[in-house]
């Protein structure tokens, strides 16, 4: 076999896996953390891969890592190679007549409050199945969807695409919140707060790329209103705590508010709010479902929604009990 062929020069599948991790996590340090490797190991493996391809695969802009055109081409191939192995895995599992393997999900941040209830019940029914789920904001999950690595994606604002199949899971209400001692919270007895008044209060907003932000912006644009954004914060929990500490008001999913600390937080009755959306399970039409993915879809169709609701109710009940015990 001639050594001039690329496949002979390129090192190992592990190098492609490392390249994919760097692509998904945007930095060598995060990829190293996720893969339980040291940063020098990741850099060295990437260097070997670049050498094998005789072209640089990435460059640094400050602390940001950017892929070159060759890097993007290598990522595309790495995804295809990974897909081939997944199909082989599926085939082997099918030949063995087993539902074993890994269920891969990518979910937006707010979905992390209910997806574990689903996975918990599903894995009790199918103990041989492992789960792996990636959490990110809407934009990050759309990026993963484009590379089609996971079996399923959970969004409340899925991108419009003919390539997707979708199933509605449950409603997601985005509610207005303020610190308890905020003037808007104090005047609750006087009736519904006009949206225009809420928009004037200093607002804590999620980052660009967030589905929550996308929903808020679309809703307010329909009303012809704009927010008075005071601060951009990349996490629902951090926004909740910032509101509690008096930094401003916000709009967050009810699931974020239902659990965890919320002392000093008021949910406001504002005109034209809450924003009502839904959670969707999405998957790629053209990607064959693995036996594991098919079992999961079947499970969701049969009892998934009830499990989510029961899990959320149980969790809410336990949480309220603990709060009452503390009081
Ligand atoms: P995000 O998720 O705000 O974390 O992106 C919520 C959504 O997609 O609605």
């Amino acid at each position: 076999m001639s050594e001039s062929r690329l496949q002979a020069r390129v090192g190992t599948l592990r190098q492609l896996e490392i390249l994919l991790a760097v692509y998904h996590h945007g930095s060598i340090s995060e990829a190293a953390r996720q893969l339980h490797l040291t940063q020098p190991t990741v850099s060295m493996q990437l260097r070997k891969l670049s050498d094998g391809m005789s072209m640089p695969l990435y460059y640094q802009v400050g602390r940001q890592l950017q892929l070159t055109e060759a890097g993007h081409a290598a990522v595309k191939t790495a995804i295809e190679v990974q897909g081939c192995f997944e199909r082989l895995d599926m085939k082997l599992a099918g030949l063995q007549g087993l539902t074993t393997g890994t269920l891969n999900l990518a979910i937006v941040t707010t979905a992390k409050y209910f997806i574990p209830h689903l996975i918990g019940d599903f894995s009790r029914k199918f103990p041989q199945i492992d789960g792996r789920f990636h959490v990110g904001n809407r934009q990050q999950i759309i990026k993963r969807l484009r590379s089609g690595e996971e079996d399923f994606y959970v969004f409340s604002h899925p991108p419009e695409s003919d390539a997707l199949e979708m199933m509605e899971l449950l409603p997601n209400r985005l509610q207005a919140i303020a610190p308890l001692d905020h003037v808007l919270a104090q005047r609750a007895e006087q009736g519904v707060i006009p949206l225009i008044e809420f928009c004037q209060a200093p607002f804590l907003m999620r980052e660009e790329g967030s589905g929550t932000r996308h929903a808020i912006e679309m809703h307010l644009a329909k009303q012809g209103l704009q927010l008075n954004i005071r601060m951009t914060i990349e996490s629902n929990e951090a926004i909740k705590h910032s509101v509690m500490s008096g930094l401003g008001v916000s709009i967050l999913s009810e699931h974020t508010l239902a659990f965890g600390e919320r002392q000093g937080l008021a949910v406001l009755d504002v005109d034209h709010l809450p924003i009502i959306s839904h959670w969707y399970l999405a998957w790629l039409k053209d990607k064959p479902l693995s036996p594991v993915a098919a079992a999961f879809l079947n499970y969701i169709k049969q009892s998934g929604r009830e499990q989510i609701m029961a899990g959320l109710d149980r969790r809410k009940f336990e949480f309220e009990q603990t709060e009452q015990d503390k009081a």
Side-chain angles (χ1 to χ4, degrees):
M1 275 194 283
S2 148
E3 271 296 300
S4 66
R5 289 174 318 128
L6 182 61
Q7 78 227 51
R9 282 185 280 121
V10 168
T12 62
L13 289 172
R14 182 68 170 155
Q15 286 171 359
L16 293 180
E17 199 184 344
I18 289 173
L19 176 69
L20 273 187
V22 171
Y23 166 70
H24 285 311
H25 300 294
S27 74
I28 291 187
S29 53
E30 189 51 27
R33 212 170 63 80
Q34 297 290 335
L35 295 170
H36 306 291
L37 295 173
T38 63
Q39 287 188 37
T41 307
V42 170
S43 304
M44 187 185 69
Q45 291 302 329
L46 285 183
R47 209 167 33 249
K48 283 190 179 167
L49 192 61
S50 297
D51 291 348
M53 297 193 179
S54 311
M55 285 182 101
L57 299 179
Y58 67 91
Y59 56 96
Q60 297 277 146
V61 182
R63 293 174 61 193
Q64 275 292 114
L65 185 144
Q66 301 286 347
L67 290 181
T68 60
E69 205 179 329
H72 279 291
V75 163
K76 193 162 174 278
T77 301
I79 291 170
E80 283 165 12
V81 170
Q82 199 178 50
C84 285
F85 274 93
E86 275 167 12
R87 284 194 292 282
L88 175 62
D89 206 16
M90 242 190 265
K91 181 87 192 161
L92 297 177
L95 288 174
Q96 289 172 309
L98 295 174
T99 313
T100 57
T102 306
L103 175 71
N104 285 300
L105 298 177
I107 67 175
V108 289
T109 56
T110 332
K112 72 179 179 209
Y113 294 96
F114 66 86
I115 284 292
H117 297 294
L118 260 191
I119 306 288
D121 186 61
F122 178 69
S123 49
R124 275 189 290 279
K125 292 200 165 68
F126 295 92
Q128 328 84 297
I129 293 180
D130 300 326
R132 189 162 57 201
F133 63 96
H134 178 89
V135 183
N137 72 18
R138 177 176 184 263
Q139 201 171 50
Q140 290 158 344
I141 302 305
I142 290 178
K143 185 173 162 198
R144 294 192 80 95
L145 172 75
R146 292 210 177 103
S147 57
E149 283 174 81
E150 280 85 10
D151 300 308
F152 297 104
Y153 301 83
V154 178
F155 294 100
S156 68
H157 300 90
E160 279 182 31
S161 162
D162 292 342
L164 283 185
E165 292 274 14
M166 248 170 311
M167 188 195 283
E168 197 176 295
L169 290 175
L170 75 158
N172 176 30
R173 283 172 284 263
L174 304 182
Q175 292 178 315
I177 51 169
L180 263 188
D181 56 1
H182 194 280
V183 59
L184 292 177
Q186 308 262 309
R187 52 156 286 183
E189 289 106 63
Q190 293 164 26
V192 181
I193 300 162
L195 184 56
I196 190 160
E197 210 174 306
F198 178 76
C199 288
Q200 283 153 7
F203 191 89
L204 310 182
M205 185 60 128
R206 282 283 306 275
E207 76 286 2
E208 286 281 350
S210 145
T212 308
R213 179 178 179 136
H214 175 75
I216 297 170
E217 284 175 345
M218 284 198 327
H219 188 71
L220 290 180
K222 269 195 222 144
Q223 310 298 327
L225 291 172
Q226 268 191 342
L227 288 165
N228 168 18
I229 297 179
R230 176 172 190 192
M231 215 179 269
T232 302
I233 303 180
E234 281 192 25
S235 128
N236 294 327
E237 285 300 313
I239 290 188
K240 199 166 79 175
H241 283 268
S242 305
V243 171
M244 290 192 291
S245 71
L247 277 180
V249 300
S250 192
I251 297 178
L252 285 182
S253 160
E254 60 183 330
H255 300 294
T256 306
L257 303 172
F259 308 114
E261 211 188 324
R262 55 178 280 189
Q263 252 175 1
L265 197 79
V267 174
L268 303 178
D269 189 4
V270 179
D271 196 20
H272 292 102
L273 291 178
I275 303 169
I276 314 279
S277 61
H278 282 84
W279 294 111
Y280 294 91
L281 183 75
W283 63 100
L284 291 166
K285 266 185 202 159
D286 291 340
K287 179 172 171 173
L289 290 180
S290 69
V292 169
F296 184 68
L297 193 56
N298 211 15
Y299 160 82
I300 301 260
K301 283 183 180 157
Q302 283 172 8
S303 60
R305 277 186 216 132
E306 292 68 37
Q307 280 305 327
I308 301 176
M309 296 314 278
L312 283 175
D313 286 348
R314 210 168 39 241
R315 187 62 191 85
K316 216 180 218 156
F317 176 74
E318 284 162 8
F319 175 69
E320 282 163 4
Q321 291 290 104
T322 330
E323 288 293 287
Q324 276 168 21
D325 292 349
K326 273 198 229 156

